[in-house]
Amino acid sequence: MNVRDIVEDTISLLKSPYEQAGISLDHQIGKKGCYIDGNTGHFQQILMDLFQISKDLLEDSACKQIVIQEFMNSKNEVVVTINDTGSGMTTEELQPGIGMRMNIINSLVQEMSGKLEIESQVNKGISITLTFPASEEVQPSKNSISSELLTRKVLIVDDEEEIRAILKDSLEELGLEVEEACDGNEALELLKITNYDLVCTDMAMPKLSGDEFIELARKLPNGNIPYILITGGMTSKAQEQKIDLNTIAEGVLVKPFDHDTFCELVTDKLQK
């Protein structure tokens, strides 16, 4: 089964009632090639039950958001994460109500040879991770890149490891060579010694924001290349000064965005 399709179908089913409750359901980039074996109905039920648990814990929160992501990890496993901005819960609160529901969900996950992990802190929300073996079935990618671009090298700059993994997964699906940096300073050091064809950078990062990094990077001998700036609406020097981000980078993506949108923008900038 295609994980991304089922996630999107589930969100479509729940979007209206959740919006009425003031809850935002955000699906961040998911690789279309994430396939797992198992019962489609059971997997969708797992997602719906986990969304419902997050919904219950968001009841008294000022900011009501649930974010779901899926990606392939280095062990060739499909990872699905669900994070919310709710009240969280203590170990004691995992009994017997939510705890019983989690036990039922865990049974379904185990039937699919998967693993369920939960992290939670009071007033900091709940983080749920589902891990499944990737299906051996290989699905052809709907994204393609011209043969002359297959030797191109892209640098990803983001302080969140999960986001870097998702973006890298998408770029490698296109056949591109990908390197990573965890912040702007590390990226600047890499740019001094490596010729990249494109840089994708997050806006909100420690030490250097994305726009500040790009400003410094363009001054380097290897820095005269296209940049894609990814922003989630966080405050930066450029935004405080109401500077148009399109004047800073060749491409701007606002979170959440989907796999195809990201790949199409990368392909477009590499072809120019």
Side-chain angles (χ1 to χ4, degrees):
M1 71 183 83
N2 186 325
V3 171
R4 180 186 177 193
D5 287 349
I6 298 172
V7 169
E8 291 184 341
D9 289 346
T10 305
I11 290 175
S12 294
L13 288 170
L14 300 177
K15 187 173 182 179
S16 179
Y18 275 57
E19 284 183 347
Q20 290 176 10
I23 297 173
S24 169
L25 276 175
D26 294 332
H27 181 202
Q28 298 200 350
I29 295 177
K31 179 184 174 184
K32 284 195 171 181
C34 286
Y35 289 83
I36 60 175
D37 295 320
N39 184 290
T40 301
H42 285 176
F43 183 58
Q44 188 169 57
Q45 188 62 52
I46 290 168
L47 296 176
M48 294 180 73
D49 288 347
L50 291 174
F51 283 151
Q52 183 61 48
I53 289 172
S54 287
K55 182 175 182 287
D56 293 344
L57 294 170
L58 284 167
E59 186 173 342
D60 298 322
S61 298
C63 176
K64 299 183 179 183
Q65 183 182 36
I66 301 172
V67 178
I68 183 167
Q69 302 174 342
E70 76 275 352
F71 59 93
M72 296 280 289
N73 66 15
S74 59
K75 298 178 181 178
N76 198 36
E77 297 171 320
V78 175
V79 180
V80 180
T81 63
I82 300 173
N83 297 277
D84 66 48
T85 57
S87 58
M89 54 187 174
T90 64
T91 303
E92 292 75 18
E93 289 172 328
L94 282 169
Q95 320 295 328
I98 290 177
M100 289 180 64
R101 288 154 66 186
M102 284 294 190
N103 287 337
I104 295 170
I105 294 168
N106 194 39
S107 296
L108 293 174
V109 172
Q110 289 178 350
E111 284 181 14
M112 299 173 61
S113 302
K115 181 172 64 174
L116 170 66
E117 297 174 284
I118 307 165
E119 292 183 10
S120 180
Q121 296 183 43
V122 177
N123 298 324
K124 291 190 177 180
I126 186 170
S127 177
I128 299 167
T129 302
L130 300 167
T131 307
F132 300 96
S135 172
E136 293 182 1
E137 179 183 7
V138 178
Q139 299 290 333
S141 172
K142 293 183 179 179
N143 295 288
S144 60
I145 196 164
S146 56
S147 58
E148 65 267 22
L149 298 183
L150 291 178
T151 58
R152 300 297 178 90
K153 182 180 290 188
V154 179
L155 177 63
I156 297 171
V157 190
D158 199 301
D159 59 308
E160 294 187 45
E161 184 177 358
E162 285 187 357
I163 299 297
R164 294 201 307 272
I166 293 169
L167 298 179
K168 183 178 181 181
D169 206 27
S170 296
L171 294 176
E172 288 182 340
E173 182 185 346
L174 291 174
L176 298 168
E177 184 178 348
V178 184
E179 293 187 358
E180 305 173 44
C182 64
D183 59 41
N185 287 332
E186 183 181 0
L188 289 172
E189 293 303 312
L190 288 172
L191 277 166
K192 290 176 183 177
I193 59 174
T194 309
N195 291 318
Y196 295 103
D197 299 287
L198 176 73
V199 175
C200 301
T201 178
D202 190 33
M203 169 64 88
M205 297 186 294
K207 301 177 183 177
L208 286 175
S209 62
D211 52 308
E212 291 169 335
F213 155 68
I214 292 174
E215 183 179 355
L216 293 172
R218 291 196 190 276
K219 297 176 182 178
L220 297 174
N222 293 339
N224 188 24
I225 54 176
Y227 294 83
I228 292 176
L229 187 60
I230 300 171
T231 174
M234 299 298 290
T235 301
S236 73
K237 182 177 73 174
Q239 289 166 311
E240 288 174 350
Q241 296 174 358
K242 296 183 179 179
I243 297 172
D244 183 359
L245 297 182
N246 287 289
T247 65
I248 296 172
E250 282 69 23
V252 177
L253 278 177
V254 179
K255 299 176 184 176
F257 52 88
D258 61 28
H259 171 80
D260 286 345
T261 301
F262 175 62
C263 290
E264 287 168 7
L265 182 59
V266 167
T267 302
D268 177 65
K269 299 310 170 186
L270 286 174
Q271 289 174 336
K272 289 184 176 178

